Amino acid sequence: MSTIVKKNIDPHSVIIDTNILFDSDKSNVVNDEFDRFWSEHAAEANLQLLIPEVVIGEILFQQTTAALKTLERANNSFTKLSSFTGGQFSHRASEARVKKEVKKRFEKWAKQKKYKKLITPVDSIDWKNMIESAIWRTPPFTHNDKKEEEEKGFRDALIMETVIEHSNSETGKKIVFITNDRVLREASEDRLKNDETFSAFETLDDFEAYLRLEKESLEQSFIKAVVIRASKKFFEKGNQNSLVYTGNLTNQLKEKFKNKFSNPERLVIEDSEDGFYSDGTWAPTGKGIFGVITRPQFQRIEGKNTYIWISKIKYTRTYEGQSAFDEELYEWTHEIFFDISWRSNITVNKRFTNMEIIDTKVIESKFEPSSDQ
């Protein structure tokens, strides 16, 4: 009989994409969520932080650009001050100094995390193949059907090649790549589909769920198979045996949280612009849609083989309302986020049995202008 238990937990090399570190507040080196995650898990789970040089470059560019805009505003303020007084006022900050200090701040943060920079493998990249992929928009290259002039993917392709090069050369560690870019993540998984030591995750929450499975001392092959199967067992379009269908989940949510689905205008923040709403009445423009946001996140094992999971669901419905200010029609979107707790027995052969929903909770509900306005 095959075993699903191993003797000890292996170290992990964790490769991070820019979007996992990004923070809109450039006074922070990275977002607080990542710092909290790393503080809680790095030592306990034996994690090493690896950052591709392209990711470092993107972060430095974003932060330097924001800093230089602030410098420009400061220069304009000093110029205006000089015009008021007739005297010359200035400061010591320069573009070169700003760039230097931004880089210095990032390197200080990274060294505290004991990071390793991954150099782009320029010499080993198949440039002819990459050019072909760019021309034909093969993942991770993409294009916008509505705006054909828009395309992206070159930096993503460099990051992917860096991940692949490191995965092929690393021994003795499991490789984890975290990115919320679906195209990049799936392209990387496809290129490394035969590498049992490689795993890719969309969010830090997904990786944290994986670490919980690791703490149960389960074999890597079992963990990967179970996480993939858990997604399909919870929901697979058209599969009436998946839990969303057998548990009649959408009707459960509509019945239990009936008040959350109606009158979304009550969620409008109080300081919204006066006169935007005529009488607070909004008409739906289509049906509400439920969608699974991420893979199921493992929570714990109860008894011998009962696995507890949380799946995240989002409900979306668009509404149209008229402004009393300009009599124009505006589209707003109502979103409700749910956490669905469920369990299943799992055998050593990775079979899911006795699946059932344990609990459902509303995590957040909001009503805001649609993003394309």
Side-chain angles (χ1 to χ4, degrees), residues 235-242 245:
F235 174 72
E236 184 176 24
K237 187 175 181 180
N239 181 359
Q240 298 298 317
N241 292 319
S242 57
Y245 293 107

Side-chain angles (χ1 to χ4, degrees), residues 244-297:
V244 166
Y245 293 107
T246 61
N248 199 17
L249 180 59
T250 56
N251 285 336
Q252 270 199 51
L253 296 176
K254 288 179 180 178
E255 182 62 30
K256 181 177 179 180
F257 304 106
K258 188 180 301 183
N259 65 318
K260 297 289 185 180
F261 289 90
S262 59
N263 302 321
E265 59 269 20
R266 74 189 186 286
L267 299 170
V268 176
I269 56 177
E270 294 181 358
D271 60 351
S272 290
E273 183 178 350
D274 291 338
F276 187 86
Y277 320 100
S278 54
D279 56 5
T281 301
W282 293 80
T285 59
K287 294 182 178 180
I289 299 174
F290 288 89
V292 179
I293 302 176
T294 64
R295 289 176 176 174
Q297 296 170 1

Side-chain angles (χ1 to χ4, degrees), residues 195-206:
D195 187 344
E196 289 293 329
T197 66
F198 176 80
S199 299
F201 300 93
E202 180 179 358
T203 66
L204 292 172
D205 285 343
D206 290 341

Side-chain angles (χ1 to χ4, degrees), residues 103-169:
K103 182 178 180 181
K104 181 179 178 181
R105 184 181 72 148
F106 178 82
E107 289 178 344
K108 179 181 178 181
W109 171 87
K111 287 178 180 177
Q112 290 174 343
K113 300 294 185 288
K114 299 179 181 179
Y115 90 118
K116 176 182 177 181
K117 180 195 290 188
L118 295 184
I119 304 301
T120 307
V122 176
D123 294 336
S124 62
I125 290 176
D126 185 342
W127 291 104
K128 183 177 180 180
N129 182 66
M130 184 177 288
I131 292 170
E132 190 75 5
S133 295
I135 292 172
W136 293 102
R137 314 309 196 260
T138 303
F141 293 93
T142 62
H143 72 285
N144 189 325
D145 290 331
K146 296 181 180 179
K147 298 180 180 179
E148 294 187 3
E149 71 278 5
E150 289 187 8
E151 60 176 280
K152 66 180 287 289
F154 181 67
R155 289 192 299 274
D156 289 342
L158 294 179
I159 292 171
M160 183 177 75
E161 293 296 335
T162 304
V163 171
I164 292 169
E165 173 70 17
H166 183 76
S167 297
N168 290 337
S169 61

Side-chain angles (χ1 to χ4, degrees), residues 214-362:
E214 276 279 335
K215 290 176 184 177
E216 298 291 343
S217 298
L218 302 174
E219 283 288 354
Q220 171 80 354
S221 58
F222 181 82
I223 292 174
K224 292 181 73 171
V226 163
V227 170
I228 292 172
R229 291 191 182 190
S231 295
K232 293 183 177 181
K233 292 297 181 180
F234 179 73
F235 174 72
E236 184 176 24
K237 187 175 181 180
N239 181 359
Q240 298 298 317
N241 292 319
S242 57
L243 189 57
V244 166
Y245 293 107
T246 61
N248 199 17
L249 180 59
T250 56
N251 285 336
Q252 270 199 51
L253 296 176
K254 288 179 180 178
E255 182 62 30
K256 181 177 179 180
F257 304 106
K258 188 180 301 183
N259 65 318
K260 297 289 185 180
F261 289 90
S262 59
N263 302 321
E265 59 269 20
R266 74 189 186 286
L267 299 170
V268 176
I269 56 177
E270 294 181 358
D271 60 351
S272 290
E273 183 178 350
D274 291 338
F276 187 86
Y277 320 100
S278 54
D279 56 5
T281 301
W282 293 80
T285 59
K287 294 182 178 180
I289 299 174
F290 288 89
V292 179
I293 302 176
T294 64
R295 289 176 176 174
Q297 296 170 1
F298 170 76
Q299 301 300 302
R300 63 189 181 277
I301 295 178
E302 294 182 349
K304 289 185 177 181
N305 66 340
T306 300
Y307 289 64
I308 310 299
W309 307 83
I310 286 181
S311 290
K312 295 183 178 295
I313 299 288
K314 182 173 77 170
Y315 168 86
T316 305
R317 192 175 193 182
T318 56
Y319 285 75
E320 197 172 63
Q322 188 175 37
S323 167
F325 179 74
D326 57 13
E327 297 185 351
E328 291 289 331
L329 289 175
Y330 289 88
E331 184 180 271
W332 280 40
T333 301
H334 183 205
E335 294 180 329
I336 311 174
F337 297 85
F338 301 92
D339 272 4
I340 313 299
S341 299
W342 58 285
R343 63 184 164 213
S344 174
N345 292 345
I346 303 179
T347 69
V348 293
N349 295 321
K350 311 175 191 72
R351 289 185 63 247
F352 283 62
T353 62
N354 301 323
M355 294 188 299
E356 63 176 334
I357 295 171
I358 304 170
D359 191 23
T360 55
K361 294 180 180 178
V362 171

